[in-house]
Amino acid sequence: MRRLGLLIAALWLLIPATAWSYDLLIVQSQRSPAYDDVLRGLRSVARFSERIIVLTDYNEIDLVRIAREESPVAIVTLGDNALAAARKVRQTPVIA
């Protein structure tokens, strides 16, 4: 019984460490085959978890809130509008 209690306590302590976090937040200005090629090349070089946001899919998006809540390691922007939207984010590095 004691082992079960310790196991439950250990699992309970580890749960907050597995937050909704990923390595890269990828922000695209629009859907484009050229951007798909860039992402394919990026994925071929390294393994990482990602979330892709396409700005034309949304009327309005708050990247500052998304970056603060989900805390990606870095933001990768593809396109001018994506870079303009990501400039407002201060706590996360932005890669253009």
Side-chain angles (χ1 to χ4, degrees), residues 15-27:
I15 295 295
T18 59
W20 290 80
S21 181
Y22 41 85
D23 296 328
L24 295 180
L25 173 63
I26 299 171
V27 183

Side-chain angles (χ1 to χ4, degrees), residues 27-56:
V27 183
Q28 296 180 352
S29 295
Q30 60 188 359
R31 294 193 185 276
S32 169
Y35 295 157
D36 292 338
D37 290 340
V38 170
L39 289 177
R40 194 174 308 116
L42 190 60
R43 290 179 188 129
S44 71
V45 175
R47 289 183 153 264
F48 52 85
S49 59
E50 64 186 45
R51 176 179 176 197
I52 298 176
I53 295 176
V54 181
L55 294 180
T56 56

Side-chain angles (χ1 to χ4, degrees), residues 1-93:
M1 187 69 180
R2 183 177 176 145
R3 287 185 186 179
L4 178 63
L6 289 174
L7 179 65
I8 290 172
L11 288 175
W12 182 74
L13 290 174
L14 290 176
I15 295 295
T18 59
W20 290 80
S21 181
Y22 41 85
D23 296 328
L24 295 180
L25 173 63
I26 299 171
V27 183
Q28 296 180 352
S29 295
Q30 60 188 359
R31 294 193 185 276
S32 169
Y35 295 157
D36 292 338
D37 290 340
V38 170
L39 289 177
R40 194 174 308 116
L42 190 60
R43 290 179 188 129
S44 71
V45 175
R47 289 183 153 264
F48 52 85
S49 59
E50 64 186 45
R51 176 179 176 197
I52 298 176
I53 295 176
V54 181
L55 294 180
T56 56
D57 291 350
Y58 301 95
N59 289 332
E60 190 173 315
I61 191 160
D62 188 6
L63 285 180
V64 174
R65 181 187 57 79
I66 291 171
R68 182 180 60 243
E69 289 177 358
E70 299 178 4
S71 63
V73 174
I75 299 173
V76 176
T77 60
L78 301 172
D80 293 336
N81 292 339
L83 180 59
R87 284 186 191 216
K88 299 172 188 169
V89 178
R90 296 288 179 209
Q91 72 273 13
T92 306

